[in-house]
């Protein structure tokens, strides 16, 4: 299937590792030119080099902490300076820490809002005018299965990411006349460093091992395993493609059947 991504320009936030990196890699394999951002640490240039080597694609890295409004906006602006345009924006950031309600203070709430909601708003606002002028665009928000079925201990993620879904649904209606789609992808348990760290934190609280925690999670998934970053990236890449032009305002889970709802 030709996804029509050759020559498209994609900006992928939070792509120095994990799911974001897998998405950037898959988009490059399909012929897109890609800008990624991540924290200013050794992982970002390593990711750029790895993607270039694996795909031969044009890819640049922009150091950015998306909890800082200027840096979040600066990522998109620097991508536009380099490529001159943007067709695809993938909003992504790491998840906020695992806490119960009474463990979350004001500063942590504001951090979670900046990390997942405000970063999405700010990066999208920078990219949308370019897409509107072209009358073509794809905006994809990487959220979590917790927006459909809240996960115990992740009250920050459950709350803030649900705000992203409300934003996306409203924005999808506003931008549909410009041939711009807006969708959310909702990963369940996927074998990333983020999930491994959650397993470690849960194990410490419960006095068990991370391996036992992961085994418990797997037992709740009908497919009997955690997903892979590559499987997740395939979904995002399809939503970014020409072939997905009639899908908008959707929140699509990729969770091996973990979510128990019917919608």
């Amino acid at each position: 299937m030709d996804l029509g991504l050759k020559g498209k320009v994609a900006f992928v936030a939070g792509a120095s590792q994990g799911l974001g990196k897998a998405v950037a890699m898959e988009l490059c394999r399909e012929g897109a030119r890609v800008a990624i951002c991540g924290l200013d640490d050794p992982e970002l240039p390593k990711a750029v080099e790895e993607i270039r080597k694996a795909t031969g694609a044009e890819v640049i890295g922009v150091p950015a902490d998306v909890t800082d409004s200027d840096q979040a906006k600066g990522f998109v602006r620097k991508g536009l300076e380099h490529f001159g345009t943007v067709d695809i924006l993938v909003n992504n950031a790491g998840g906020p820490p695992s806490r119960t309600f009474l463990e979350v203070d004001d500063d942590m709430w504001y951090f979670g809002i900046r990390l997942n909601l405000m970063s999405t708003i700010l990066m999208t606002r920078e990219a949308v005018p370019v897409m509107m002028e072209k009358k073509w665009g794809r905006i994809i928000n990487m959220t979590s299965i917790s927006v459909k079925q809240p996960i115990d201990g992740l009250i920050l993620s459950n709350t803030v990411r649900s705000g992203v879904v409300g934003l996306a649904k409203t924005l999808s209606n506003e931008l549909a006349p410009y041939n711009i789609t807006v969708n959310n992808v909702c990963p369940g348990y996927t074998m990333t460093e983020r999930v491994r760290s959650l397993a470690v934190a849960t194990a410490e609280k419960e006095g068990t091992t991370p391996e036992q925690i992961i085994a418990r999670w797997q037992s709740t998934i009908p497919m009997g395993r955690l997903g892979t970053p590559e499987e997740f990236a395939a979904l995002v890449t399809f939503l970014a493609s020409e072939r997905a032009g009639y899908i908008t305002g959707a929140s699509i889970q990729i969770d091996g059947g973990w979510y128990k709802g019917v919608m």
Side-chain angles (χ1 to χ4, degrees):
M1 180 185 291
D2 181 5
L3 296 179
L5 288 171
K6 188 172 183 180
K8 296 287 189 187
V9 173
F11 298 170
V12 185
S16 61
Q17 58 186 328
L19 295 179
K21 179 180 168 184
V23 168
M25 181 79 77
E26 190 67 19
L27 287 167
C28 284
R29 286 198 178 104
E30 291 295 325
R33 297 177 290 158
V34 177
I36 68 173
C37 80
L39 296 176
D40 189 10
D41 62 32
E43 295 304 317
L44 181 61
K46 281 164 57 179
V48 170
E49 183 58 30
E50 183 181 342
I51 295 168
R52 281 180 184 155
K53 189 173 181 179
T55 67
E58 182 180 1
V59 54
I60 65 167
V62 178
D65 177 354
V66 297
T67 65
D68 180 283
S69 60
D70 288 338
Q71 293 186 52
K73 291 183 285 189
F75 164 53
V76 177
R77 290 172 182 174
K78 288 174 183 177
L80 288 171
E81 286 173 10
H82 181 87
F83 290 110
T85 191
V86 60
D87 301 291
I88 300 153
L89 174 65
V90 181
N91 290 307
N92 176 48
S98 171
R99 295 288 190 277
T100 60
F101 177 67
L102 292 179
E103 293 173 329
V104 182
D105 61 17
D106 289 1
D107 288 342
M108 201 172 294
W109 275 114
Y110 293 133
F111 171 77
I113 291 167
R114 292 196 309 272
L115 178 68
N116 294 128
L117 179 57
M118 285 308 302
S119 66
T120 298
I121 291 169
L122 294 168
M123 289 186 287
T124 300
R125 196 165 61 196
E126 294 296 318
V128 160
V130 179
M131 295 179 178
M132 290 175 70
E133 186 174 347
K134 298 174 70 165
K135 290 190 166 30
W136 200 97
R138 302 285 186 265
I139 299 168
I140 301 160
N141 304 313
M142 293 169 60
T143 61
S144 166
I145 194 62
S146 68
V147 303
K148 293 198 170 191
Q149 186 168 313
I151 299 172
D152 292 344
L154 295 184
I155 192 163
L156 278 166
S157 183
N158 297 343
T159 304
V160 178
R161 292 188 192 276
S162 295
V164 173
V165 172
L167 167 72
K169 186 62 178 176
T170 307
L171 194 58
S172 70
N173 293 334
E174 289 188 18
L175 298 180
Y178 298 93
N179 197 29
I180 302 168
T181 67
V182 187
N183 292 294
N184 308 298
V185 281
C186 313
Y189 291 110
T190 310
M191 189 52 77
T192 62
E193 288 304 316
R194 159 74 170 164
V195 167
R196 289 188 184 94
S197 67
L198 284 174
V200 169
T202 304
E204 288 176 354
K205 285 183 179 180
E206 298 185 7
T208 184
T209 67
E211 292 74 21
Q212 288 174 313
I213 297 299
I214 290 172
R216 186 172 75 197
W217 290 340
Q218 288 175 329
S219 72
T220 68
I221 300 169
M223 294 198 76
R225 64 176 178 86
L226 274 62
T228 69
E230 293 75 19
E231 289 170 321
F232 177 83
L235 171 60
V236 175
T237 301
F238 176 73
L239 289 173
S241 74
E242 290 277 8
R243 296 298 187 109
Y246 202 55
I247 302 171
T248 195
S251 295
I252 303 172
Q253 70 261 23
I254 175 167
D255 64 351
W258 182 84
Y259 169 58
K260 304 306 180 190
V262 295
M263 295 293 288

PDB file of all heavy atoms in Angstrom, residues 143-164:
ATOM      1  N   THR A 143      -1.508   9.886  23.131  1.00  0.00           N
ATOM      2  CA  THR A 143      -2.069   9.999  24.482  1.00  0.00           C
ATOM      3  C   THR A 143      -1.844   8.680  25.235  1.00  0.00           C
ATOM      4  O   THR A 143      -0.720   8.254  25.409  1.00  0.00           O
ATOM      5  CB  THR A 143      -3.557  10.373  24.425  1.00  0.00           C
ATOM      6  OG1 THR A 143      -4.300   9.367  23.724  1.00  0.00           O
ATOM      7  CG2 THR A 143      -3.750  11.704  23.728  1.00  0.00           C
ATOM      8  N   SER A 144      -2.898   8.043  25.676  1.00  0.00           N
ATOM      9  CA  SER A 144      -2.781   6.812  26.461  1.00  0.00           C
ATOM     10  C   SER A 144      -4.142   6.136  26.491  1.00  0.00           C
ATOM     11  O   SER A 144      -5.186   6.794  26.380  1.00  0.00           O
ATOM     12  CB  SER A 144      -2.329   7.136  27.889  1.00  0.00           C
ATOM     13  OG  SER A 144      -2.512   6.012  28.745  1.00  0.00           O
ATOM     14  N   ILE A 145      -4.132   4.840  26.681  1.00  0.00           N
ATOM     15  CA  ILE A 145      -5.394   4.115  26.857  1.00  0.00           C
ATOM     16  C   ILE A 145      -6.149   4.632  28.084  1.00  0.00           C
ATOM     17  O   ILE A 145      -7.363   4.444  28.214  1.00  0.00           O
ATOM     18  CB  ILE A 145      -5.135   2.595  26.972  1.00  0.00           C
ATOM     19  CG1 ILE A 145      -6.429   1.802  26.808  1.00  0.00           C
ATOM     20  CG2 ILE A 145      -4.462   2.256  28.289  1.00  0.00           C
ATOM     21  CD1 ILE A 145      -7.096   1.964  25.455  1.00  0.00           C
ATOM     22  N   SER A 146      -5.446   5.339  28.966  1.00  0.00           N
ATOM     23  CA  SER A 146      -6.083   5.876  30.174  1.00  0.00           C
ATOM     24  C   SER A 146      -7.154   6.906  29.866  1.00  0.00           C
ATOM     25  O   SER A 146      -7.984   7.209  30.716  1.00  0.00           O
ATOM     26  CB  SER A 146      -5.028   6.488  31.102  1.00  0.00           C
ATOM     27  OG  SER A 146      -4.455   7.646  30.535  1.00  0.00           O
ATOM     28  N   VAL A 147      -7.187   7.458  28.635  1.00  0.00           N
ATOM     29  CA  VAL A 147      -8.261   8.402  28.297  1.00  0.00           C
ATOM     30  C   VAL A 147      -9.572   7.662  28.071  1.00  0.00           C
ATOM     31  O   VAL A 147     -10.643   8.281  28.069  1.00  0.00           O
ATOM     32  CB  VAL A 147      -7.918   9.267  27.061  1.00  0.00           C
ATOM     33  CG1 VAL A 147      -6.621  10.018  27.279  1.00  0.00           C
ATOM     34  CG2 VAL A 147      -7.859   8.441  25.787  1.00  0.00           C
ATOM     35  N   LYS A 148      -9.514   6.353  27.867  1.00  0.00           N
ATOM     36  CA  LYS A 148     -10.729   5.550  27.702  1.00  0.00           C
ATOM     37  C   LYS A 148     -11.041   4.734  28.947  1.00  0.00           C
ATOM     38  O   LYS A 148     -12.206   4.483  29.253  1.00  0.00           O
ATOM     39  CB  LYS A 148     -10.571   4.617  26.499  1.00  0.00           C
ATOM     40  CG  LYS A 148     -10.499   5.350  25.174  1.00  0.00           C
ATOM     41  CD  LYS A 148     -10.792   4.426  24.004  1.00  0.00           C
ATOM     42  CE  LYS A 148     -10.969   5.211  22.722  1.00  0.00           C
ATOM     43  NZ  LYS A 148     -11.506   4.390  21.621  1.00  0.00           N
ATOM     44  N   GLN A 149     -10.006   4.292  29.625  1.00  0.00           N
ATOM     45  CA  GLN A 149     -10.176   3.500  30.845  1.00  0.00           C
ATOM     46  C   GLN A 149      -9.080   3.917  31.823  1.00  0.00           C
ATOM     47  O   GLN A 149      -7.943   3.468  31.710  1.00  0.00           O
ATOM     48  CB  GLN A 149     -10.075   2.006  30.528  1.00  0.00           C
ATOM     49  CG  GLN A 149     -10.374   1.102  31.717  1.00  0.00           C
ATOM     50  CD  GLN A 149     -10.541  -0.344  31.278  1.00  0.00           C
ATOM     51  OE1 GLN A 149     -11.245  -0.629  30.309  1.00  0.00           O
ATOM     52  NE2 GLN A 149      -9.889  -1.261  31.968  1.00  0.00           N
ATOM     53  N   PRO A 150      -9.405   4.802  32.780  1.00  0.00           N
ATOM     54  CA  PRO A 150      -8.377   5.319  33.681  1.00  0.00           C
ATOM     55  C   PRO A 150      -7.596   4.207  34.375  1.00  0.00           C
ATOM     56  O   PRO A 150      -8.153   3.153  34.712  1.00  0.00           O
ATOM     57  CB  PRO A 150      -9.171   6.157  34.681  1.00  0.00           C
ATOM     58  CG  PRO A 150     -10.374   6.597  33.917  1.00  0.00           C
ATOM     59  CD  PRO A 150     -10.719   5.425  33.028  1.00  0.00           C
ATOM     60  N   ILE A 151      -6.307   4.478  34.579  1.00  0.00           N
ATOM     61  CA  ILE A 151      -5.406   3.513  35.190  1.00  0.00           C
ATOM     62  C   ILE A 151      -5.103   3.963  36.621  1.00  0.00           C
ATOM     63  O   ILE A 151      -4.721   5.115  36.850  1.00  0.00           O
ATOM     64  CB  ILE A 151      -4.103   3.395  34.382  1.00  0.00           C
ATOM     65  CG1 ILE A 151      -4.415   2.907  32.963  1.00  0.00           C
ATOM     66  CG2 ILE A 151      -3.108   2.459  35.062  1.00  0.00           C
ATOM     67  CD1 ILE A 151      -3.222   2.936  32.025  1.00  0.00           C
ATOM     68  N   ASP A 152      -5.282   3.074  37.562  1.00  0.00           N
ATOM     69  CA  ASP A 152      -5.028   3.399  38.963  1.00  0.00           C
ATOM     70  C   ASP A 152      -3.597   3.894  39.145  1.00  0.00           C
ATOM     71  O   ASP A 152      -2.650   3.341  38.578  1.00  0.00           O
ATOM     72  CB  ASP A 152      -5.246   2.167  39.849  1.00  0.00           C
ATOM     73  CG  ASP A 152      -6.717   1.746  39.918  1.00  0.00           C
ATOM     74  OD1 ASP A 152      -7.575   2.556  39.540  1.00  0.00           O
ATOM     75  OD2 ASP A 152      -6.984   0.602  40.348  1.00  0.00           O
ATOM     76  N   GLY A 153      -3.456   4.956  39.947  1.00  0.00           N
ATOM     77  CA  GLY A 153      -2.144   5.496  40.246  1.00  0.00           C
ATOM     78  C   GLY A 153      -1.633   6.496  39.237  1.00  0.00           C
ATOM     79  O   GLY A 153      -0.571   7.092  39.445  1.00  0.00           O
ATOM     80  N   LEU A 154      -2.379   6.702  38.153  1.00  0.00           N
ATOM     81  CA  LEU A 154      -1.941   7.643  37.117  1.00  0.00           C
ATOM     82  C   LEU A 154      -2.932   8.798  36.993  1.00  0.00           C
ATOM     83  O   LEU A 154      -3.369   9.152  35.906  1.00  0.00           O
ATOM     84  CB  LEU A 154      -1.803   6.924  35.769  1.00  0.00           C
ATOM     85  CG  LEU A 154      -0.729   5.846  35.660  1.00  0.00           C
ATOM     86  CD1 LEU A 154      -0.665   5.304  34.238  1.00  0.00           C
ATOM     87  CD2 LEU A 154       0.637   6.385  36.081  1.00  0.00           C
ATOM     88  N   ILE A 155      -3.279   9.403  38.122  1.00  0.00           N
ATOM     89  CA  ILE A 155      -4.322  10.431  38.098  1.00  0.00           C
ATOM     90  C   ILE A 155      -3.918  11.628  37.246  1.00  0.00           C
ATOM     91  O   ILE A 155      -4.765  12.238  36.576  1.00  0.00           O
ATOM     92  CB  ILE A 155      -4.694  10.873  39.535  1.00  0.00           C
ATOM     93  CG1 ILE A 155      -5.993  11.709  39.486  1.00  0.00           C
ATOM     94  CG2 ILE A 155      -3.567  11.598  40.227  1.00  0.00           C
ATOM     95  CD1 ILE A 155      -6.666  11.858  40.816  1.00  0.00           C
ATOM     96  N   LEU A 156      -2.637  11.984  37.223  1.00  0.00           N
ATOM     97  CA  LEU A 156      -2.192  13.095  36.383  1.00  0.00           C
ATOM     98  C   LEU A 156      -2.412  12.781  34.912  1.00  0.00           C
ATOM     99  O   LEU A 156      -2.986  13.580  34.169  1.00  0.00           O
ATOM    100  CB  LEU A 156      -0.714  13.384  36.645  1.00  0.00           C
ATOM    101  CG  LEU A 156      -0.391  14.249  37.862  1.00  0.00           C
ATOM    102  CD1 LEU A 156       1.093  14.151  38.183  1.00  0.00           C
ATOM    103  CD2 LEU A 156      -0.786  15.690  37.621  1.00  0.00           C
ATOM    104  N   SER A 157      -1.956  11.629  34.487  1.00  0.00           N
ATOM    105  CA  SER A 157      -2.112  11.237  33.084  1.00  0.00           C
ATOM    106  C   SER A 157      -3.584  11.082  32.720  1.00  0.00           C
ATOM    107  O   SER A 157      -4.032  11.567  31.678  1.00  0.00           O
ATOM    108  CB  SER A 157      -1.362   9.930  32.823  1.00  0.00           C
ATOM    109  OG  SER A 157      -1.448   9.562  31.468  1.00  0.00           O
ATOM    110  N   ASN A 158      -4.348  10.411  33.588  1.00  0.00           N
ATOM    111  CA  ASN A 158      -5.771  10.208  33.318  1.00  0.00           C
ATOM    112  C   ASN A 158      -6.492  11.533  33.086  1.00  0.00           C
ATOM    113  O   ASN A 158      -7.360  11.643  32.213  1.00  0.00           O
ATOM    114  CB  ASN A 158      -6.445   9.497  34.502  1.00  0.00           C
ATOM    115  CG  ASN A 158      -5.901   8.108  34.763  1.00  0.00           C
ATOM    116  OD1 ASN A 158      -5.247   7.507  33.910  1.00  0.00           O
ATOM    117  ND2 ASN A 158      -6.167   7.595  35.955  1.00  0.00           N
ATOM    118  N   THR A 159      -6.146  12.532  33.869  1.00  0.00           N
ATOM    119  CA  THR A 159      -6.835  13.822  33.826  1.00  0.00           C
ATOM    120  C   THR A 159      -6.369  14.689  32.663  1.00  0.00           C
ATOM    121  O   THR A 159      -7.168  15.170  31.853  1.00  0.00           O
ATOM    122  CB  THR A 159      -6.607  14.571  35.154  1.00  0.00           C
ATOM    123  OG1 THR A 159      -7.040  13.749  36.244  1.00  0.00           O
ATOM    124  CG2 THR A 159      -7.362  15.887  35.168  1.00  0.00           C
ATOM    125  N   VAL A 160      -5.068  14.892  32.573  1.00  0.00           N
ATOM    126  CA  VAL A 160      -4.535  15.847  31.607  1.00  0.00           C
ATOM    127  C   VAL A 160      -4.672  15.336  30.182  1.00  0.00           C
ATOM    128  O   VAL A 160      -5.031  16.087  29.268  1.00  0.00           O
ATOM    129  CB  VAL A 160      -3.067  16.180  31.945  1.00  0.00           C
ATOM    130  CG1 VAL A 160      -2.501  17.140  30.907  1.00  0.00           C
ATOM    131  CG2 VAL A 160      -2.969  16.787  33.338  1.00  0.00           C
ATOM    132  N   ARG A 161      -4.409  14.055  29.959  1.00  0.00           N
ATOM    133  CA  ARG A 161      -4.523  13.521  28.602  1.00  0.00           C
ATOM    134  C   ARG A 161      -5.969  13.546  28.109  1.00  0.00           C
ATOM    135  O   ARG A 161      -6.214  13.663  26.901  1.00  0.00           O
ATOM    136  CB  ARG A 161      -3.957  12.102  28.550  1.00  0.00           C
ATOM    137  CG  ARG A 161      -2.442  12.043  28.755  1.00  0.00           C
ATOM    138  CD  ARG A 161      -1.943  10.635  28.503  1.00  0.00           C
ATOM    139  NE  ARG A 161      -0.588  10.385  28.929  1.00  0.00           N
ATOM    140  CZ  ARG A 161       0.507  10.649  28.225  1.00  0.00           C
ATOM    141  NH1 ARG A 161       0.400  11.222  27.032  1.00  0.00           N
ATOM    142  NH2 ARG A 161       1.706  10.352  28.694  1.00  0.00           N
ATOM    143  N   SER A 162      -6.929  13.446  29.025  1.00  0.00           N
ATOM    144  CA  SER A 162      -8.326  13.568  28.615  1.00  0.00           C
ATOM    145  C   SER A 162      -8.620  14.962  28.079  1.00  0.00           C
ATOM    146  O   SER A 162      -9.456  15.138  27.188  1.00  0.00           O
ATOM    147  CB  SER A 162      -9.258  13.247  29.790  1.00  0.00           C
ATOM    148  OG  SER A 162      -9.123  11.891  30.171  1.00  0.00           O
ATOM    149  N   GLY A 163      -7.916  15.963  28.597  1.00  0.00           N
ATOM    150  CA  GLY A 163      -8.042  17.311  28.054  1.00  0.00           C
ATOM    151  C   GLY A 163      -7.551  17.388  26.620  1.00  0.00           C
ATOM    152  O   GLY A 163      -8.119  18.118  25.797  1.00  0.00           O
ATOM    153  N   VAL A 164      -6.503  16.638  26.296  1.00  0.00           N
ATOM    154  CA  VAL A 164      -5.997  16.599  24.924  1.00  0.00           C
ATOM    155  C   VAL A 164      -7.058  16.035  23.989  1.00  0.00           C
ATOM    156  O   VAL A 164      -7.248  16.523  22.866  1.00  0.00           O
ATOM    157  CB  VAL A 164      -4.705  15.752  24.841  1.00  0.00           C
ATOM    158  CG1 VAL A 164      -4.266  15.565  23.389  1.00  0.00           C
ATOM    159  CG2 VAL A 164      -3.593  16.405  25.659  1.00  0.00           C
TER     160      VAL A 164
END
